[in-house]
Amino acid sequence: MASSPSVLLSSPPPTAKDGSRFIDSNYLQKQSHVPANFKWPEEDAASAQEELNAPVVDLEGFFNGDVVATENAAKLIRSSCLRHGFFQVTNHRVDADLIQLAYDHVDDFFNLPIEEKIKVQRRPGSPYGYSGAHMDRFSSNLPWKETFSFAFQDGPEKTVADYFKFTISKDFEQTGLVYQKYSEAMHSLSLSIMELLAIGLGVDRMLYREFFEDAVSIMRTNLYPTCQEPNLSLGTGPHCDPNALTILHQDLVGGLDVFVDNKWHKVRPVLGALVINIGDVFAALSNGIYRSCLHRAAVNSHKERRSLVFFMCPRADKVVKPAEELVRKRVNETTLENFTDWFLSADRSNFKPTHFKTSH
């Protein structure tokens, strides 16, 4: 394994047997000053002063088959997607106990010694595995976080459970079962959201649900440690999601910001809610009618932040194109550029469930 890029730190980070250096949350939160390679440009790290006007959509009526409630939910979602693509949902039928279990188990993983975590380090070109501050990929504008990502595809094979059992260790078999169930819940909710997005666009209600039934998605857990100079660094830099739909559960610490009207806005955590946002793929499917918006994760000096993120992605062989009835409508001028960048840069053929069983 090649040595990681040089990072200017107040004290040397842990070193592996091969000389590579790694950074995790335990190390970052001990830094009294932000190291040079973790500093972001002032315009990127500027604090958000206003709250985002993102609707909180109650899904109870939709799940109960209430036509009026469903139409109202679709209208609220449409209004937010026309402007910035972010909204929150409540009564989403994802069990609160399951969400808490997912956090408990991710704590178990992130609390492992760094030597154990790097055994499942993300490999070059792969979106799956452990990453500490992305030191293996970048040398500047490093994110103040550590992440762990894995693939999910709905079906009879328990891909997530197998990944934890065979790639990490049998000690994490129960963790794998928890995240298998959590990913299944996210996939199910994603398909329901797809129905509401279709209603709002005026296309066949089942169009996107059927398109994403066999989606190959990414589940990611994030840990953002405290930072003594939070105005100089970011947990995640400004970006648009390249996938179709993102479902985020953020704890009540807060830190998600969205760039709208040339300034950053905070997304207020709502107890029990999930944050949904449109990615570049769905912006392309909507012919640019719905927006994929720039967002980031801020850090703070008083309490670490955790989040669970589900990225719904189309299967690699799917043809992404808008419905015929949307083609005649005006396209946002950045949609094609953003989608083309994603298509050319992303490794979308990486996922094979059998890889999990042969990793160890």
Side-chain angles (χ1 to χ4, degrees):
M1 185 184 299
S3 296
S4 300
S6 174
V7 181
L8 304 179
L9 299 160
S10 59
S11 59
T15 304
K17 292 180 180 179
D18 64 357
S20 300
R21 289 183 171 180
F22 299 93
I23 289 177
D24 66 358
S25 295
N26 290 328
Y27 188 82
L28 283 175
Q29 64 188 1
K30 295 175 183 176
Q31 303 299 310
S32 57
H33 298 286
V34 173
N37 293 43
F38 283 83
K39 290 182 178 180
W40 285 75
E42 184 177 349
E43 62 270 22
D44 290 335
S47 298
Q49 302 299 323
E50 300 179 23
E51 186 174 304
L52 182 70
N53 181 20
V56 179
V57 183
D58 187 341
L59 297 182
E60 186 67 26
F62 166 79
F63 285 121
N64 288 335
D66 186 314
V67 175
V68 174
T70 296
E71 289 178 353
N72 289 337
K75 287 178 182 178
L76 281 174
I77 291 172
R78 176 181 170 84
S79 68
S80 69
C81 290
L82 289 172
R83 183 150 188 239
H84 48 64
F86 278 78
F87 55 97
Q88 303 198 53
V89 295
T90 57
N91 290 317
H92 40 66
R93 298 198 172 177
V94 180
D95 191 280
D97 291 338
L98 177 60
I99 294 174
Q100 184 57 54
L101 261 179
Y103 276 116
D104 292 343
H105 281 271
V106 80
D107 289 344
D108 290 342
F109 176 80
F110 284 131
N111 287 333
L112 288 173
I114 186 64
E115 294 80 9
E116 293 298 314
K117 288 185 282 193
I118 63 175
K119 288 179 181 178
V120 289
Q121 183 186 16
R122 188 159 71 179
R123 296 176 180 176
S126 171
Y128 313 128
Y130 170 76
S131 178
H134 296 340
M135 280 186 63
D136 56 320
R137 300 166 60 201
F138 305 107
S139 59
S140 63
N141 291 344
L142 295 177
W144 198 268
K145 68 175 178 179
E146 57 181 328
T147 69
F148 186 52
S149 309
F150 42 92
F152 170 79
Q153 185 170 25
D154 194 38
E157 291 191 25
K158 302 301 182 184
T159 54
V160 176
D162 287 348
Y163 178 81
F164 277 84
K165 181 178 179 180
F166 293 103
T167 303
I168 304 179
S169 76
K170 290 184 178 180
D171 293 339
F172 279 84
E173 183 173 4
Q174 187 59 39
T175 300
L177 292 172
V178 168
Y179 274 99
Q180 179 74 40
K181 190 172 182 181
Y182 186 87
S183 298
E184 289 170 353
M186 291 295 104
H187 178 75
S188 178
L189 176 60
S190 296
L191 296 179
S192 296
I193 297 298
M194 287 297 171
E195 290 188 44
L196 290 166
L197 291 172
I199 294 170
L201 285 168
V203 299
D204 184 273
R205 174 171 174 160
M206 302 304 290
L207 178 65
Y208 302 128
R209 183 184 185 96
E210 292 173 354
F211 185 82
F212 287 101
E213 282 279 3
D214 55 0
V216 178
S217 301
I218 301 171
M219 181 69 213
R220 177 168 299 157
T221 60
N222 297 307
L223 177 59
Y224 303 95
T226 55
C227 177
Q228 296 308 306
E229 296 177 314
N231 59 317
L232 299 180
S233 191
L234 288 171
T236 303
H239 67 286
C240 293
D241 289 346
N243 54 293
L245 187 78
T246 302
I247 302 182
L248 166 75
H249 186 278
Q250 58 173 344
D251 59 20
L252 296 179
V253 176
L256 174 63
D257 298 334
V258 180
F259 196 70
V260 182
D261 297 331
N262 293 314
K263 54 187 174 183
W264 289 104
H265 295 72
K266 302 176 184 179
V267 177
R268 177 176 57 88
V270 175
L271 183 64
L274 293 165
V275 181
I276 315 287
N277 71 274
I278 296 300
D280 294 342
V281 168
F282 197 88
L285 284 171
S286 75
N287 201 34
I289 296 170
Y290 284 178
R291 301 289 301 273
S292 173
C293 204
L294 204 65
H295 54 286
R296 68 181 187 184
V299 291
N300 68 78
S301 60
H302 58 276
K303 190 172 183 179
E304 68 179 20
R305 175 177 179 256
R306 303 169 301 162
S307 65
L308 307 170
V309 197
F310 184 82
F311 300 100
M312 173 170 263
C313 311
R315 206 176 65 192
D317 60 352
K318 292 280 190 176
V319 177
V320 176
K321 63 178 182 178
E324 288 297 326
E325 52 264 52
L326 300 179
V327 172
R328 295 182 295 273
K329 299 185 179 182
R330 184 172 65 87
V331 180
N332 181 287
E333 62 273 13
T334 63
T335 299
L336 180 59
E337 179 183 353
N338 290 343
F339 179 69
T340 302
D341 288 345
W342 167 80
F343 185 85
L344 293 175
S345 64
D347 179 4
R348 298 171 299 125
S349 59
N350 198 346
F351 177 80
K352 286 185 174 60
T354 54
H355 283 180
F356 300 156
K357 297 182 180 180
T358 57
S359 295
H360 263 18

